[in-house]
Amino acid sequence: MNLGLTGRVAMVAAASKGLGLAIAKGLAAEGCKVSICGRNRPALETALAEIGGTARATVADVASPADVQAWFQAVTAEFGHPDILVTNTGGPPAGEWRDLTDEQWRIGVDSTLMSLVRLVRLVEPGMRTRNWGRIIHVTSVAAKEPSKLLAISTTLRSGLMALTRLQADDLAPYGVTVNAILPGHTLTDRQLHLADLRAEREGIDRAEALKRQAQLIPMRRLARPEEIAAPAVFLASEAASYITGVNLLVDGGLTRGPG
Protein backbone atom coordinates (compact mmCIF):
# COMPACT_ATOMS: atom_id res chain seq x y z
CA MET A 1 0.00 0.00 0.00
CA ASN A 2 1.21 3.48 -0.89
CA LEU A 3 0.73 5.49 2.30
CA GLY A 4 1.11 8.83 0.50
CA LEU A 5 3.72 10.20 2.89
CA THR A 6 6.54 11.06 0.51
CA GLY A 7 7.78 14.57 1.23
CA ARG A 8 5.61 15.10 4.30
CA VAL A 9 7.28 16.85 7.24
CA ALA A 10 7.08 14.93 10.52
CA MET A 11 8.00 15.95 14.06
CA VAL A 12 8.55 13.02 16.43
CA ALA A 13 9.12 13.94 20.07
CA ALA A 14 11.48 12.12 22.43
CA ALA A 15 12.75 9.95 19.59
CA SER A 16 16.37 9.25 20.46
CA LYS A 17 15.39 5.68 21.41
CA GLY A 18 12.46 3.38 22.13
CA LEU A 19 9.03 3.93 20.62
CA GLY A 20 9.81 7.42 19.35
CA LEU A 21 12.83 6.18 17.41
CA ALA A 22 10.86 3.26 15.96
CA ILE A 23 8.12 5.62 14.74
CA ALA A 24 10.65 8.07 13.31
CA LYS A 25 12.31 5.24 11.38
CA GLY A 26 8.96 4.06 10.08
CA LEU A 27 7.99 7.53 8.85
CA ALA A 28 11.38 8.07 7.23
CA ALA A 29 11.06 4.73 5.43
CA GLU A 30 7.80 6.02 3.92
CA GLY A 31 9.54 9.10 2.55
CA CYS A 32 8.88 11.67 5.30
CA LYS A 33 11.28 14.44 6.20
CA VAL A 34 11.70 13.65 9.88
CA SER A 35 12.76 15.88 12.75
CA ILE A 36 13.29 14.36 16.17
CA CYS A 37 14.07 15.80 19.56
CA GLY A 38 15.59 14.46 22.74
CA ARG A 39 17.58 15.62 25.73
CA ASN A 40 20.86 13.89 24.94
CA ARG A 41 22.96 14.97 21.95
CA PRO A 42 25.03 11.75 21.62
CA ALA A 43 21.86 9.64 21.75
CA LEU A 44 20.28 11.85 19.07
CA GLU A 45 23.31 11.47 16.82
CA THR A 46 23.09 7.69 17.15
CA ALA A 47 19.37 7.85 16.36
CA LEU A 48 19.98 9.98 13.26
CA ALA A 49 22.40 7.38 11.95
CA GLU A 50 19.67 4.74 12.32
CA ILE A 51 16.95 6.86 10.72
CA GLY A 52 19.11 8.00 7.81
CA GLY A 53 17.98 10.14 4.90
CA THR A 54 17.32 13.81 5.56
CA ALA A 55 16.46 13.39 9.25
CA ARG A 56 17.37 16.21 11.61
CA ALA A 57 17.55 16.45 15.39
CA THR A 58 17.21 19.18 18.00
CA VAL A 59 18.27 18.90 21.63
CA ALA A 60 15.07 19.67 23.51
CA ASP A 61 13.26 18.64 26.67
CA VAL A 62 9.56 18.40 25.83
CA ALA A 63 8.72 19.49 29.39
CA SER A 64 10.29 22.90 28.65
CA PRO A 65 8.08 25.43 26.80
CA ALA A 66 11.17 27.25 25.49
CA ASP A 67 12.70 24.02 24.17
CA VAL A 68 9.47 23.00 22.44
CA GLN A 69 9.23 26.41 20.77
CA ALA A 70 12.87 26.24 19.65
CA TRP A 71 12.37 22.76 18.17
CA PHE A 72 9.29 23.89 16.24
CA GLN A 73 11.18 26.87 14.85
CA ALA A 74 14.08 24.64 13.82
CA VAL A 75 11.72 22.30 11.97
CA THR A 76 10.00 25.08 10.05
CA ALA A 77 13.36 26.61 9.13
CA GLU A 78 14.78 23.29 7.89
CA PHE A 79 11.78 21.60 6.29
CA GLY A 80 8.77 23.94 6.36
CA HIS A 81 5.63 23.62 8.44
CA PRO A 82 5.05 20.14 9.90
CA ASP A 83 2.35 17.94 8.39
CA ILE A 84 2.66 15.23 11.04
CA LEU A 85 3.17 15.51 14.80
CA VAL A 86 3.89 12.54 17.01
CA THR A 87 3.78 13.48 20.68
CA ASN A 88 5.80 11.14 22.83
CA THR A 89 7.60 11.37 26.16
CA GLY A 90 9.57 9.24 28.52
CA GLY A 91 7.35 7.83 31.23
CA PRO A 92 6.63 10.04 34.25
CA PRO A 93 7.99 9.05 37.67
CA ALA A 94 6.81 5.59 38.72
CA GLY A 95 5.32 4.76 42.09
CA GLU A 96 2.08 4.40 44.01
CA TRP A 97 0.01 7.57 44.34
CA ARG A 98 0.59 8.06 48.09
CA ASP A 99 4.36 7.69 47.77
CA LEU A 100 4.87 10.27 45.03
CA THR A 101 5.81 13.83 45.95
CA ASP A 102 4.15 17.00 44.71
CA GLU A 103 7.26 17.68 42.64
CA GLN A 104 7.04 14.28 40.96
CA TRP A 105 3.40 14.93 40.09
CA ARG A 106 4.36 18.34 38.69
CA ILE A 107 7.11 16.78 36.56
CA GLY A 108 4.59 14.28 35.27
CA VAL A 109 2.09 16.97 34.33
CA ASP A 110 4.70 19.05 32.48
CA SER A 111 6.21 16.14 30.56
CA THR A 112 3.17 13.98 29.89
CA LEU A 113 0.31 16.48 29.56
CA MET A 114 1.55 20.01 28.93
CA SER A 115 4.18 18.98 26.39
CA LEU A 116 1.38 17.56 24.26
CA VAL A 117 -0.80 20.66 24.68
CA ARG A 118 2.04 23.01 23.74
CA LEU A 119 3.12 21.01 20.70
CA VAL A 120 -0.39 20.81 19.28
CA ARG A 121 -0.87 24.55 19.82
CA LEU A 122 2.19 25.17 17.65
CA VAL A 123 1.40 22.88 14.74
CA GLU A 124 -2.38 23.03 14.38
CA PRO A 125 -2.73 26.55 12.92
CA GLY A 126 -0.60 25.65 9.90
CA MET A 127 -2.34 22.32 9.48
CA ARG A 128 -5.72 24.04 9.47
CA THR A 129 -4.53 26.56 6.90
CA ARG A 130 -3.40 23.77 4.54
CA ASN A 131 -6.39 21.51 5.28
CA TRP A 132 -4.17 18.52 6.04
CA GLY A 133 -2.52 17.22 9.16
CA ARG A 134 -1.94 14.17 11.30
CA ILE A 135 -1.49 14.33 15.07
CA ILE A 136 -0.69 11.10 16.91
CA HIS A 137 -0.31 10.91 20.66
CA VAL A 138 1.74 8.03 22.05
CA THR A 139 0.26 7.31 25.46
CA SER A 140 -0.04 3.98 27.30
CA VAL A 141 -2.26 1.01 28.05
CA ALA A 142 -2.25 2.42 31.59
CA ALA A 143 -4.97 4.80 30.36
CA LYS A 144 -7.31 1.79 30.15
CA GLU A 145 -5.77 -0.55 32.72
CA PRO A 146 -4.86 1.43 35.87
CA SER A 147 -1.53 0.38 37.37
CA LYS A 148 -0.64 0.87 41.04
CA LEU A 149 3.01 1.33 40.09
CA LEU A 150 2.15 3.93 37.45
CA ALA A 151 -0.17 6.27 39.33
CA ILE A 152 0.88 9.43 37.49
CA SER A 153 0.87 7.81 34.08
CA THR A 154 -2.52 6.19 34.67
CA THR A 155 -4.08 9.46 35.84
CA LEU A 156 -2.72 11.68 33.09
CA ARG A 157 -3.04 9.28 30.20
CA SER A 158 -6.67 8.56 31.05
CA GLY A 159 -7.30 12.29 30.72
CA LEU A 160 -5.40 12.36 27.42
CA MET A 161 -7.96 10.00 25.93
CA ALA A 162 -10.58 12.72 26.42
CA LEU A 163 -8.25 15.44 25.13
CA THR A 164 -7.61 13.36 22.00
CA ARG A 165 -11.34 13.30 21.36
CA LEU A 166 -11.69 17.06 21.95
CA GLN A 167 -8.81 17.89 19.62
CA ALA A 168 -10.16 15.51 16.98
CA ASP A 169 -13.58 17.17 17.07
CA ASP A 170 -12.07 20.65 16.80
CA LEU A 171 -9.76 19.88 13.90
CA ALA A 172 -11.79 17.40 11.83
CA PRO A 173 -13.44 20.12 9.67
CA TYR A 174 -9.97 21.18 8.51
CA GLY A 175 -8.77 17.78 7.32
CA VAL A 176 -6.65 17.24 10.43
CA THR A 177 -6.94 13.93 12.26
CA VAL A 178 -6.02 13.38 15.90
CA ASN A 179 -5.56 9.87 17.26
CA ALA A 180 -3.74 8.16 20.10
CA ILE A 181 -1.77 4.93 20.28
CA LEU A 182 -1.98 3.10 23.61
CA PRO A 183 1.00 0.71 23.65
CA GLY A 184 1.06 -2.31 25.89
CA HIS A 185 4.17 -3.74 27.49
CA THR A 186 6.99 -3.17 25.02
CA LEU A 187 10.70 -3.99 25.15
CA THR A 188 12.09 -0.51 25.80
CA ASP A 189 14.33 1.01 28.46
CA ARG A 190 11.20 2.13 30.33
CA GLN A 191 9.95 -1.46 30.51
CA LEU A 192 13.30 -2.64 31.83
CA HIS A 193 13.21 0.06 34.52
CA LEU A 194 9.72 -1.02 35.60
CA ALA A 195 10.81 -4.66 35.58
CA ASP A 196 13.65 -3.73 37.92
CA LEU A 197 11.19 -2.02 40.28
CA ARG A 198 8.91 -5.06 40.30
CA ALA A 199 11.87 -7.39 40.76
CA GLU A 200 13.02 -5.46 43.82
CA ARG A 201 9.56 -5.49 45.37
CA GLU A 202 9.00 -9.20 44.70
CA GLY A 203 12.49 -10.48 45.45
CA ILE A 204 13.17 -11.82 41.95
CA ASP A 205 15.52 -10.88 39.12
CA ARG A 206 14.77 -8.78 36.04
CA ALA A 207 14.42 -11.77 33.71
CA GLU A 208 11.79 -13.35 35.95
CA ALA A 209 9.94 -10.05 36.28
CA LEU A 210 9.78 -9.72 32.49
CA LYS A 211 8.67 -13.34 32.15
CA ARG A 212 5.84 -12.81 34.63
CA GLN A 213 4.81 -9.64 32.80
CA ALA A 214 4.65 -11.52 29.51
CA GLN A 215 2.46 -14.21 31.02
CA LEU A 216 -0.24 -11.62 31.71
CA ILE A 217 -0.54 -10.92 27.97
CA PRO A 218 -2.65 -13.26 25.82
CA MET A 219 0.15 -13.33 23.22
CA ARG A 220 2.56 -14.36 26.01
CA ARG A 221 5.25 -11.95 24.95
CA LEU A 222 6.15 -8.27 25.08
CA ALA A 223 5.85 -6.13 21.98
CA ARG A 224 8.74 -5.02 19.82
CA PRO A 225 8.94 -1.25 19.27
CA GLU A 226 8.34 -1.74 15.54
CA GLU A 227 4.98 -3.34 16.32
CA ILE A 228 3.87 -0.11 18.00
CA ALA A 229 5.37 2.05 15.26
CA ALA A 230 3.51 0.36 12.39
CA PRO A 231 -0.02 1.46 13.39
CA ALA A 232 1.28 4.94 14.24
CA VAL A 233 2.73 5.27 10.75
CA PHE A 234 -0.55 4.10 9.25
CA LEU A 235 -2.51 6.68 11.24
CA ALA A 236 -0.17 9.34 9.81
CA SER A 237 -0.93 8.26 6.26
CA GLU A 238 -3.26 9.40 3.51
CA ALA A 239 -5.00 6.03 3.80
CA ALA A 240 -6.13 6.87 7.36
CA SER A 241 -7.85 10.11 6.35
CA TYR A 242 -11.25 9.07 7.79
CA ILE A 243 -9.94 7.86 11.17
CA THR A 244 -9.96 10.43 13.95
CA GLY A 245 -10.63 10.57 17.68
CA VAL A 246 -9.48 6.99 18.16
CA ASN A 247 -7.56 5.73 21.19
CA LEU A 248 -6.05 2.60 19.67
CA LEU A 249 -4.92 -0.20 21.94
CA VAL A 250 -1.80 -1.98 20.69
CA ASP A 251 -1.32 -4.34 23.62
CA GLY A 252 -1.39 -7.96 22.45
CA GLY A 253 -4.85 -8.42 23.94
CA LEU A 254 -3.86 -7.35 27.45
CA THR A 255 -6.82 -5.02 28.09
CA ARG A 256 -9.85 -7.03 29.17
CA GLY A 257 -12.57 -4.41 28.90
CA PRO A 258 -14.08 -2.90 25.73
CA GLY A 259 -11.52 -1.26 23.43
Side-chain angles (χ1 to χ4, degrees):
M1 178 185 291
N2 180 359
L3 295 182
L5 289 174
T6 301
R8 293 291 188 185
V9 176
M11 295 176 67
V12 186
S16 62
K17 59 184 179 180
L19 298 182
L21 175 56
I23 294 170
K25 289 167 68 175
L27 290 169
E30 292 295 329
C32 288
K33 300 174 184 177
V34 176
S35 177
I36 64 174
C37 78
R39 293 177 294 182
N40 183 282
R41 170 58 69 182
L44 286 172
E45 294 296 340
T46 300
L48 285 178
E50 289 192 44
I51 298 167
T54 61
R56 297 288 185 271
T58 298
V59 177
D61 182 348
V62 294
S64 163
D67 282 9
V68 166
Q69 179 71 41
W71 179 35
F72 173 73
Q73 291 174 339
V75 174
T76 56
E78 292 168 342
F79 292 140
H81 199 284
D83 302 295
I84 299 162
L85 169 67
V86 180
T87 69
N88 177 52
T89 67
E96 297 188 23
W97 68 267
R98 63 169 52 86
D99 299 327
L100 293 159
T101 66
D102 285 4
E103 178 63 11
Q104 287 174 310
W105 280 94
R106 186 198 62 75
I107 290 170
V109 169
D110 278 343
S111 64
T112 305
L113 172 61
M114 291 310 300
S115 65
L116 181 155
V117 171
R118 292 164 183 147
L119 281 165
V120 174
R121 278 181 187 153
L122 289 170
V123 304
E124 61 97 6
M127 291 179 176
R128 282 191 287 110
T129 298
R130 296 191 311 283
N131 288 298
W132 202 97
R134 300 287 186 267
I135 297 170
I136 299 142
H137 302 315
V138 181
T139 68
S140 170
V141 70
K144 290 270 191 176
E145 290 284 327
S147 168
K148 289 183 66 176
L149 189 59
L150 298 174
I152 296 175
S153 182
T154 291
T155 301
L156 297 176
R157 297 188 196 280
S158 294
L160 289 178
M161 290 198 300
L163 183 57
T164 296
R165 181 75 255 179
L166 290 173
Q167 292 175 339
D169 289 350
D170 284 345
L171 296 174
Y174 304 97
V176 179
T177 67
V178 185
N179 295 289
I181 294 284
L182 279 59
H185 303 305
T186 308
L187 281 171
T188 62
D189 287 352
R190 169 73 165 175
Q191 191 63 230
L192 296 178
H193 170 63
L194 295 175
D196 288 340
L197 293 178
R198 288 193 298 272
E200 183 178 354
R201 292 173 60 182
E202 298 172 23
I204 56 177
D205 62 17
R206 174 193 281 182
E208 180 62 23
L210 289 170
K211 179 180 177 181
R212 292 184 185 183
Q213 196 75 33
Q215 291 305 305
L216 299 175
I217 304 167
M219 287 190 174
R220 298 297 188 267
R221 65 177 179 84
L222 276 65
R224 301 185 304 275
E226 313 86 73
E227 293 177 299
I228 309 301
V233 171
F234 175 75
L235 288 174
S237 74
E238 190 65 51
S241 59
Y242 207 61
I243 302 172
T244 196
V246 168
N247 287 280
L248 179 64
L249 287 163
V250 189
D251 66 352
L254 174 64
T255 304
R256 309 311 302 161

